[in-house]
Amino acid sequence: MLYKLKKNKAAVYLILIILLCFCLCQYGLQRIFGFSLFPDEFGYWAPAAKMLGWDWSETTSLGSYYSFGYSLILAPILYFVKDSIMAYRTAVVVNMILMCIGLVLLYKLMQKLFPEMEKERAVIISGIAVLYPPWIFYIQMTMTEALLLFLYILVCYLFLCFFENPRVVTAVMLSAALVYIYFVHMRSIGMIVAGGIILLFWGVGNREKKCRRIAVLVLLLVLIFFLIGLGIKNGLLDRLYHTASVEVIQYNDYSGQWGKLKYLMSPDGMKNFITGSIGKILYIGLATYGLAYWGIYYVLKRCRSLFFAIKSKVLNREDLFWLFLLLSSVAQFIITVIYTIWSSDEENDRLDLFVHGRYIEFIIPVLIAIGIKQAFDSKRLWTGTGIMMGCTAVFTWIVNNIIGSSISGMPNVHGYFMIGMSYLIKEENFRPIPFLWKAWLLGSFLMAMIGLVITACKKWRIEWLLTAVILLQIILGLHASEHYVYIGNSYGYGDIQIADKLKEVLEADGKERIIHIYEGDTPYIEQVQFRMQDRKIDIWDAREKDINPAKLQEGDKLILAADSKYREIFDKLYERSWEAGHLCLYYNP
């Protein structure tokens, strides 16, 4: 066995990178206790709780609808793991497992796309793509990004397998994956659109009746799965979000995006679309040290060749994969810009919406892997690197001009929405224009470093030098995790202590009400509801109606924000209070 591994360096590298993924997961696991982002993470656990018959509806109504695809994975975790901290950590481990499977799939994908590439290089390139710093960041929380990153690689792999050998089994898996990625997060609808176009094109242009029938089967299955998903969605909205306002529900749903589409048709909308696109293009370049640019260049080259192949009627089935890659990337980019269409408006104060990365993050690892291949093959590596440095400098200058001309100056930044550019962010006295130039300098330095590593690998043919890029990405990924996950969890642990204290003071019969007065701040009560599992928390929304203390019943347990304006009132009505984290618990013995 050991002898075979020594002979097969690719297998050794693959095992080592999988172990590295495991170590990265374990590094921060004991420092994670619950949610880092509110209300998003709770919004994915809430449908899972509903599937188990638990009533979290009132707490859920404080946030928007976040779809249910990820909840199908979280529900079994919630059922089998009774402690909320352990359930959350189990979900993090599942994210790590998906990362490892994504690594293997991407390696297989690279082998199929580039059979001439050495296996060792293909493994390390796949490792670099999968250990992209935002992926390292997202595996440590229960946002959908870790799942989306995996699913996009899976969809790409299934598409290539389908074009190579269009079997019914592959057709069913592909159609299910295309629909599932949409119901994990609705902003990935571009995958269905791009996949549908390619399958139509492949079916119409195919002379074999069998292939046409399979193309029809895939499209039919996509429609059936989609309708089933819509039925589940509508059922969840009726049962879980019945107390939420229409505006809150529509915030993440496509039904709430029509206003943006109408605005897009106006002159101001077109201007914002163009300027917003520049911000996202800048992010793609700096977050990937230019590697995604190389990948886009290669995809465009292959699609250009595909165009000439169509004209000459000499078309390989595998060539359509590159068209899918282009269409899905463009679709996702456009959706991101439309979702954040007002981000370059002069009244927007959030830089992270303008230079936004989260919504396009899941297409990037595939582009990185292809980009490294293109950079290795390029005879003008340093010319290309210089052009990318120059282009990103121009984009940075344009973005800074837009920020400078805005009313707000965009001083507000949520760095976890632009993780690939967040490494130099200091929230205190944040100044966006100097920050962006520093981010450009860091990105340019990393572009040059990547160029040096690739040059050395080509000159000395030492593949393991590429692991320097993996090491660099781990440092960046853990830096972002420290900033946004670990520190936040140390504060959030106090909210878990509130839930544990609540369990102590509750009667065994479960008849007492648990009430939270919500005043419009961050809904940290979601951490408590997650911990309480099948015990419902009632929400009194102070934004919608006046709070009347006389409506409290004997035995009611009350939770307020630690800085609530109602604390002085309830200090007189309750004998005891217990404060921890962001919340305060009131109860009578």
Side-chain angles (χ1 to χ4, degrees), residues 136-362:
I136 294 174
F137 172 78
Y138 282 120
I139 67 166
Q140 299 181 80
M141 58 176 61
T142 56
M143 297 290 283
T144 56
E145 271 59 37
L147 179 55
L148 289 171
L149 283 155
F150 160 74
L151 284 172
Y152 185 65
I153 294 174
L154 175 63
V155 168
C156 289
Y157 181 76
L158 289 173
F159 249 115
L160 193 56
C161 291
F162 180 77
F163 289 137
E164 286 179 346
N165 185 10
R167 297 184 302 164
V168 173
V169 174
T170 312
V172 173
M173 293 175 66
L174 176 60
S175 55
L178 282 171
V179 175
Y180 181 64
I181 195 172
Y182 168 75
F183 284 108
V184 168
H185 203 294
M186 292 163 290
R187 67 173 180 267
S188 55
I189 192 172
M191 300 302 105
I192 294 181
V193 175
I197 291 172
I198 296 300
L199 289 167
L200 274 173
F201 186 76
W202 179 75
V204 171
N206 209 306
R207 296 179 181 177
E208 299 179 32
K209 289 184 178 180
K210 177 187 174 184
C211 292
R212 288 186 177 183
R213 285 197 297 267
I214 292 178
V216 171
L217 173 65
V218 176
L219 292 171
L220 187 61
L221 285 172
V222 166
L223 178 61
I224 292 170
F225 290 148
F226 189 77
L227 292 174
I228 292 171
L230 284 180
I232 297 172
K233 171 191 170 182
N234 292 332
L236 279 173
L237 288 175
D238 291 340
R239 294 170 176 82
L240 193 56
Y241 292 85
H242 56 273
T243 60
S245 66
V246 174
E247 292 78 12
V248 169
I249 292 174
Q250 289 182 345
Y251 183 79
N252 279 328
D253 195 22
Y254 279 102
S255 57
Q257 310 307 314
W258 294 115
K260 295 177 182 178
L261 291 173
K262 291 178 182 177
Y263 177 70
L264 181 61
M265 298 298 107
S266 68
D268 285 344
M270 290 301 297
K271 185 196 78 171
N272 278 5
F273 183 87
I274 294 169
T275 53
S277 296
I278 294 171
K280 280 68 176 178
I281 293 170
L282 174 64
Y283 177 86
I284 291 171
L286 295 183
T288 66
Y289 352 109
L291 291 174
Y293 285 177
W294 283 111
I296 293 166
Y297 173 68
Y298 185 85
V299 172
L300 288 171
K301 277 200 315 180
R302 291 302 300 260
C303 288
R304 180 174 175 270
S305 301
L306 174 63
F307 174 74
F308 288 114
I310 293 171
K311 285 185 69 176
S312 60
K313 297 181 180 180
V314 182
L315 181 65
N316 293 323
R317 289 174 175 175
E318 294 82 359
D319 290 340
L320 288 173
F321 170 81
W322 298 105
L323 187 57
F324 167 74
L325 206 58
L326 177 64
L327 290 179
S328 60
S329 299
V330 170
Q332 198 54 45
F333 181 84
I334 291 173
I335 288 168
T336 299
V337 178
I338 292 175
Y339 256 84
T340 58
I341 190 69
W342 288 298
S343 63
S344 59
D345 192 81
E346 62 180 12
E347 295 182 359
N348 172 51
D349 70 337
R350 281 182 56 183
L351 177 67
D352 58 284
L353 293 179
F354 185 25
V355 187
H356 192 77
R358 180 186 161 202
Y359 288 177
I360 48 177
E361 216 75 87
F362 69 85

